[in-house]
Amino acid sequence: MTTLAFDETGVDVVYQGTEFRLSKDLIEDATEKSYMDVTDHEVLRIVEKNPDLQGQARRIGDIIA
């Protein structure tokens, strides 16, 4: 299971027991979108090859608002 914790400067990730951080700039470069417009599902796709996407995708801007 992958856990994501969003804030204004990036995402704290726990993936298969390993903790790391994805910076806002890295996420913007990977998605070619503004950080606030990226969805949680898009971040999961950066972390996992074939993530189990459940529920409606949510924009980071809405999550941290």
Side-chain angles (χ1 to χ4, degrees):
M1 181 174 151
T2 301
T3 304
L4 306 174
F6 299 90
D7 63 32
E8 293 82 13
T9 61
V11 182
D12 291 319
V13 180
V14 179
Y15 174 67
Q16 296 184 349
T18 301
E19 297 178 32
F20 57 94
R21 182 154 180 89
L22 296 175
S23 70
K24 172 183 171 181
D25 293 337
L26 183 137
I27 292 169
E28 288 178 335
D29 288 346
T31 61
E32 298 181 347
K33 294 168 84 174
S34 167
Y35 179 68
M36 293 298 177
D37 290 330
V38 175
T39 67
D40 56 346
H41 288 186
E42 290 171 307
V43 174
L44 273 174
R45 285 187 195 105
I46 293 170
V47 175
E48 296 184 41
K49 185 174 182 175
N50 294 310
D52 181 18
L53 302 175
Q54 298 179 2
Q56 190 73 11
R58 295 176 50 209
R59 290 178 56 248
I60 293 173
D62 295 334
I63 293 169
I64 62 175

